[in-house]
Amino acid sequence: MNVQTAASGAADAAPILMPPANLYRLVLTGFMGAGKTTIGRILAERLGWEFLDLDAYIESRTSQSVPQIFALHGETHFRKLESQALASALGRKHIVIALGGGAPEVLTNRLLLEQTPATATVFLDAPFPVLYDRCMIQALRAGSANSQPAPEDLRPLLADPSSAEARFHQRHPIYRRLARVTLDTSDLTTEDTVSTLLARLHLPQPRRR
Ligand code: S3P
């Protein structure tokens, strides 16, 4: 039996799953809007592991938002910070890491991901128009009631949709090659995505109540 109860006696506590002993890290990749943060947080909760969103980690290390880093220092500088943050995050165990969409483009990052033992990478896939729409909806929700997202709420690389789409196509094979599991999430609910991933990673599912 490899399902433990999070807190015995707490009727509504979600069961904590016992991952295989040779898996210490789950890394979620995919383009912007893939749901890496949302899904990663839930997976971490289910596994009883730490969750780390790489963009949020960079923001806390620099005290600047990602759009500010892009605007003030440029993408090259952001990529350096991202590689440093990834190396640091991969030093931890029992952790789910949500990468920024561009992290796998950098060779150093791919080597880090491939060479860190007990680490499984998951690619959350969806067609570009689906991802683009999700990001626009998120940006609109983050801002006030305007019909256009405010620039500070929009991911910097989405300001030009056609170059964002070109990046998507360039990255797609990289995401696929890196991943142990690829899942198209376009028609899946959050819960279906989580349970499908747990099954595909051969992690036990919590029993339905
Ligand atoms: C980027 C994706 C963003 C963030 C930055 C650059 C990219 O993260 O790292 O804006 O190059 O695709 P999300 O994928 O979490 O949006």
Side-chain angles (χ1 to χ4, degrees):
M1 169 64 67
N2 42 12
V3 177
Q4 295 178 331
T5 319
S8 49
D12 291 332
I16 298 233
L17 307 174
M18 193 87 108
N22 59 354
L23 184 66
Y24 288 150
R25 300 167 200 86
L26 271 183
V27 179
L28 301 188
T29 69
F31 202 69
M32 295 170 266
K36 303 175 294 280
T37 304
T38 306
I39 302 298
R41 191 170 280 128
I42 299 173
L43 281 173
E45 213 171 85
R46 298 280 165 90
L47 295 165
W49 285 5
E50 180 189 359
F51 172 69
L52 185 145
D53 177 87
L54 204 64
D55 283 342
Y57 187 44
I58 296 166
E59 290 180 337
S60 75
R61 282 160 69 113
T62 58
S63 305
Q64 287 180 322
S65 70
V66 171
Q68 278 170 340
I69 299 169
F70 268 76
L72 295 172
H73 309 288
E75 182 174 351
T76 308
H77 181 69
F78 173 77
R79 297 296 168 205
K80 277 190 199 138
L81 298 175
E82 189 176 47
S83 294
Q84 289 162 0
L86 178 61
S88 161
L90 287 172
R92 304 186 190 186
K93 280 184 182 173
H94 306 122
I95 186 166
V96 178
I97 303 171
L99 297 187
E105 249 188 22
V106 178
L107 176 63
T108 315
N109 298 344
R110 295 203 293 277
L111 293 174
L112 278 170
L113 291 165
E114 283 166 348
Q115 291 175 6
T116 305
T119 303
T121 299
V122 167
F123 169 26
L124 298 180
D125 194 13
F128 179 77
V130 172
L131 298 168
Y132 185 81
D133 287 353
R134 284 185 194 162
C135 290
M136 288 302 136
I137 291 166
Q138 265 177 27
L140 280 170
R141 283 198 184 134
S144 52
N146 296 323
S147 57
Q148 289 295 317
E152 64 274 18
D153 295 322
L154 190 61
R155 287 147 165 109
L157 297 181
L158 289 180
D160 174 356
S162 58
S163 84
E165 185 164 14
R167 278 186 196 248
F168 170 82
H169 291 297
Q170 187 188 322
R171 288 174 185 175
H172 201 269
I174 299 175
Y175 293 136
R176 279 203 80 105
R177 269 200 304 274
L178 203 56
R180 184 183 296 186
V181 169
T182 293
L183 184 62
D184 187 330
T185 66
S186 6
D187 295 323
L188 295 181
T189 62
T190 300
E191 188 46 48
D192 287 344
T193 302
V194 169
S195 55
T196 308
L197 285 178
L198 292 171
R200 300 268 301 273
L201 287 160
H202 307 292
L203 296 170
Q205 307 266 353
R207 273 169 298 182
R208 294 210 182 275
R209 288 166 198 278

